[in-house]
Amino acid sequence: MFRRILGVILSLIIIAILLLGVKDLPRYGEENSPVNNEVSRRYIDKGMEETGAKNIVAGVILDYRAFDTFVEASVLFTSIIIIISVMKKDSKVESDENE
């Protein structure tokens, strides 16, 4: 019973902290929001000429954000390898069980 009460109290504290953080976020679509800064304008205005890409999305992903994209791909590849190695059945264990 104590663990349930403690779990509920901790959950309520975490919810309150998260709601306080959300309260301070800028409104969606607001012009002066930090999301709408000079970087996105630069990508749109000069992205094609600086990168030589055929479209803005390819230029941003492959030139401006190449290192970030490489790290994300490495994380995904590593997680797939780990999942395969964990899920793989060990043939030696199976042969020992059959004997």
Side-chain angles (χ1 to χ4, degrees):
M1 184 69 181
F2 174 73
R3 285 187 175 196
R4 282 190 182 176
I5 294 172
L6 183 63
V8 169
I9 291 172
L10 287 175
S11 297
L12 290 174
I13 290 171
I14 291 172
I15 289 170
I17 291 170
L18 291 174
L19 287 176
L20 285 173
V22 169
K23 178 185 69 111
D24 293 332
L25 288 174
R27 294 181 54 83
Y28 181 76
E30 197 172 284
E31 187 176 339
N32 295 329
S33 136
V35 173
N36 300 324
N37 60 16
E38 66 277 352
V39 175
S40 61
R41 179 63 34 210
R42 168 83 181 224
Y43 288 168
I44 293 169
D45 291 341
K46 299 188 177 189
M48 300 284 278
E49 64 187 59
E50 287 181 350
T51 63
K54 295 191 183 229
N55 63 42
I56 295 173
V57 174
V60 169
I61 291 174
L62 298 175
D63 285 333
Y64 292 126
R65 306 285 303 205
F67 187 71
D68 183 46
T69 304
F70 172 72
V71 172
E72 289 172 2
S74 299
V75 168
L76 289 174
F77 179 74
T78 304
S79 64
I80 289 170
I81 296 298
I82 291 171
I83 289 171
I84 289 172
S85 66
V86 168
M87 299 295 285
K88 182 180 173 186
K89 291 184 178 181
D90 192 12
S91 61
K92 184 178 180 184
V93 172
E94 282 184 10
S95 65
D96 288 344
E97 289 175 358
N98 292 333
E99 292 178 2

